[in-house]
Amino acid sequence: MRLARFFKIATASVALTVALALVVAGCKTPDLRGPVVSSPELATPTPTPQAVDTVVPGPTVPPTRTGVSDEVIRIGVIAEASSGNAVTNGSESAWLAMRAWAQAVNSTGGLGGRDVEVVLFDANVYDHRAAIQEACESDIFALVGSYALFDGDGVDILNDESCRLPDFPAAALSPDRRASPVTFVSNPTSNTVGQAGPAQYLSERLPLAAGAVGTVVLDLPVAFYQAQRDIEAATAGGFNFAFEATAEVTGEDYDAMVSAMLEAGVLGITWSADSRRLMELLEARANLFAQLPTFEFPEPVEDPTAVPDEASSGTDGVGTEQEPADDTQDEGAVEEEPADGLTFVLCGADCYTQSWVGEVAELGSDLWVSIGMLPFEEPGDNVELVRYVLFLREEVDEEAEVDLIGLSSWASALLFEEAVNRAMFTSGGGLSREQVIESARTITEWDGRGLHGPTNPAEGIPSSCFLLMSPTPSGWIRRHPATQGTMDCDPDNLVELVESATLGIDPSRPDSAGAG
């Protein structure tokens, strides 16, 4: 019966970084110790003249805790669930997304014929190593959908033979996590391959600003390592970096920073931190620009002796009839697109949030946000995008905010599903952690069931696809490419990283081999 149920499910599957405010009220972490079973006292036997066995039994070996039974598969998610931290943002989305995904899977018969249960491990920003240790000692089968700033802490524990949990996080932010041989991400970020597409596009569209770019990096090792990779990729895409500054995690003087940028002649800015800190920088920049003097230039005086433009007059000097302007737009073109100016601010996916767009629209008329997934504004026929929003809002929290971190958690959960189904298919219905890891290593073509462009999770190769969005008072709009439902997937968007490829990776670790 179980095997038949699994094959039915497997066949259906084949056919198809600021404030973090998670209040875990009503969502307490389950008791991971399990029930305590006490044994009744044995009655003292009556002595008999029979020979007594003097062999002392050895210690009882406790049963292995694998997180899977015939009825249940238990997965863990590491997130930063402590309220009020001032370092990162978004872990709430990962935790809620995994609960929504479990509801979705269970509503269609479970995973491999088993109900999915989700256990939260709180990284509390700086306690990620302890969270990994707790997960390894707990009765869970795998880590799925995790998102934490310092996710490289404890990778050595994760890859130790005593643990080796299959690991499918929303994102691998640290170089060591990306290099982990048991870690697989639906749309990975690579240590050795960079996305240069947005820089290439803006360099062609705004070449003056692209020639004088500044960047701001949070004073955290993980942020520094990623910034250097982003700089190398963007430089290959045509950016010339004239300014680099380090910002304190809290209490940064952004007024002084934007003044320094102005003195350095910066016209373009790349930003890789969270959206709230970018708001501080944009507000400081707006205040500075408001204080700058303005100049009124006289209108050009018409030269009465000038010859009329041949393009607007006939050969006999008589103006030709002009055809009416075509006010129609190409099908799929963007409406209300902000006009290009002299400057740009390019931010990553952390800036694409639904609650932030209204706040930043007036400050960020030159703001471009690069994302690697299709936007929420265009659900179209994307079944998984609709399922994510539906189960999140209707089954978990009707006021939950949808964002790319949650959607990335969902996408990596789908990748975990695929690995489980492949493992059970090849093993004839069996399921173990090592089988799932081995199956994940066979997934070399993957698009998150249409959520993002083609990737190679097995080798950590990201998609070449990207999409540029901008905020307006009416919400997010796409800027490039203009046609809805499409992304820029030119293979040349990906460039090889050389100088920054090994940053942040401990070469002495056996799990650092093949980082990418």
Side-chain angles (χ1 to χ4, degrees), residues 69-134:
S69 68
D70 288 342
E71 292 77 29
V72 172
I73 182 169
R74 187 175 294 107
I75 64 102
V77 53
I78 298 179
E80 285 147 0
S82 300
S83 62
N85 80 72
V87 176
T88 190
N89 185 24
S91 281
E92 178 181 12
S93 300
W95 165 231
L96 296 179
M98 286 303 88
R99 291 167 57 194
W101 167 75
Q103 292 273 14
V105 171
N106 293 341
S107 70
T108 57
L111 179 57
R114 300 166 173 86
D115 285 339
V116 177
E117 294 182 0
V118 184
V119 180
L120 171 66
F121 299 96
D122 186 3
N124 193 25
V125 184
Y126 298 105
D127 296 334
H128 191 271
R129 185 178 183 84
I132 287 282
Q133 183 71 61
E134 184 182 2

Side-chain angles (χ1 to χ4, degrees), residues 465 472 503:
C465 303
T472 70
L503 286 177

Side-chain angles (χ1 to χ4, degrees), residues 226-450:
Q226 186 56 42
Q228 301 314 304
R229 291 180 169 90
D230 290 343
I231 290 172
E232 183 175 350
T235 299
F239 281 5
N240 176 53
F241 285 86
F243 179 92
E244 181 177 348
T246 300
E248 297 293 335
V249 173
T250 59
E252 178 60 46
D253 185 353
Y254 286 103
D255 291 331
M257 183 174 292
V258 295
S259 295
M261 287 185 177
L262 183 64
E263 292 176 3
V266 167
L267 295 176
I269 298 174
T270 63
W271 182 266
S272 57
D274 62 276
S275 58
R276 291 293 166 183
R277 288 178 180 82
L278 179 56
M279 277 286 292
E280 295 182 52
L281 182 139
L282 292 175
E283 288 170 348
R285 188 182 68 154
N287 292 335
L288 177 64
F289 286 177
Q291 299 173 31
L292 296 178
T294 58
F295 301 92
E296 292 186 4
F297 295 92
E299 294 291 334
V301 178
E302 182 178 350
D303 184 355
T305 64
V307 177
D309 189 348
E310 293 183 0
S312 61
S313 64
T315 55
D316 58 356
V318 180
T320 58
E321 182 179 357
Q322 302 295 309
E323 294 186 2
D326 184 4
D327 293 329
T328 62
Q329 291 184 315
D330 293 337
E331 183 179 355
V334 174
E335 297 181 1
E336 302 179 3
E337 178 177 325
D340 286 345
L342 187 63
T343 63
F344 69 78
V345 178
L346 175 62
C347 185
D350 284 348
C351 288
Y352 178 64
T353 68
Q354 304 304 298
S355 61
W356 190 65
V357 59
E359 300 178 51
V360 77
E362 295 183 359
L363 294 173
S365 61
D366 61 347
L367 179 60
W368 302 70
V369 175
S370 175
I371 62 177
M373 306 181 89
L374 289 173
F376 296 111
E377 289 78 11
E378 303 172 13
D381 296 325
N382 194 315
V383 174
E384 290 302 328
L385 183 59
V386 174
R387 289 179 73 224
Y388 163 63
V389 177
L390 178 66
F391 279 92
L392 179 67
R393 292 276 176 78
E394 294 193 1
E395 301 294 336
V396 177
D397 185 348
E398 63 181 7
E399 297 182 355
E401 180 179 1
V402 294
D403 64 15
L404 288 185
I405 293 174
L407 188 57
S408 296
S409 292
W410 183 282
S412 284
L414 299 181
L415 180 64
F416 172 65
E417 280 189 59
E418 179 69 15
V420 168
N421 289 331
R422 290 193 185 193
M424 294 190 68
F425 182 81
T426 57
S427 67
L431 184 61
S432 70
R433 294 169 179 166
E434 195 58 39
Q435 288 171 340
V436 170
I437 292 171
E438 290 302 319
S439 292
R441 290 174 179 162
T442 69
I443 305 176
T444 57
E445 296 180 5
W446 176 254
D447 66 357
R449 297 184 189 168

Side-chain angles (χ1 to χ4, degrees), residues 38-85:
S38 59
S39 301
E41 293 187 7
L42 300 177
T44 303
T46 303
T48 67
Q50 296 179 354
V52 179
D53 187 357
T54 58
V55 177
V56 179
T60 301
V61 178
T64 303
R65 309 178 76 183
T66 62
V68 64
S69 68
D70 288 342
E71 292 77 29
V72 172
I73 182 169
R74 187 175 294 107
I75 64 102
V77 53
I78 298 179
E80 285 147 0
S82 300
S83 62
N85 80 72

Side-chain angles (χ1 to χ4, degrees), residues 177-251:
R177 189 64 168 267
R178 298 171 190 167
S180 164
V182 301
T183 298
F184 307 92
V185 181
S186 184
N187 190 5
T189 303
S190 172
N191 289 330
T192 59
V193 177
Q195 172 61 268
Q200 292 172 346
Y201 176 78
L202 290 175
S203 294
E204 296 172 358
R205 183 157 179 161
L206 299 167
L208 190 62
V213 179
T215 190
V216 182
V217 183
L218 282 188
D219 191 14
L220 296 169
V222 65
F224 171 79
Y225 298 143
Q226 186 56 42
Q228 301 314 304
R229 291 180 169 90
D230 290 343
I231 290 172
E232 183 175 350
T235 299
F239 281 5
N240 176 53
F241 285 86
F243 179 92
E244 181 177 348
T246 300
E248 297 293 335
V249 173
T250 59

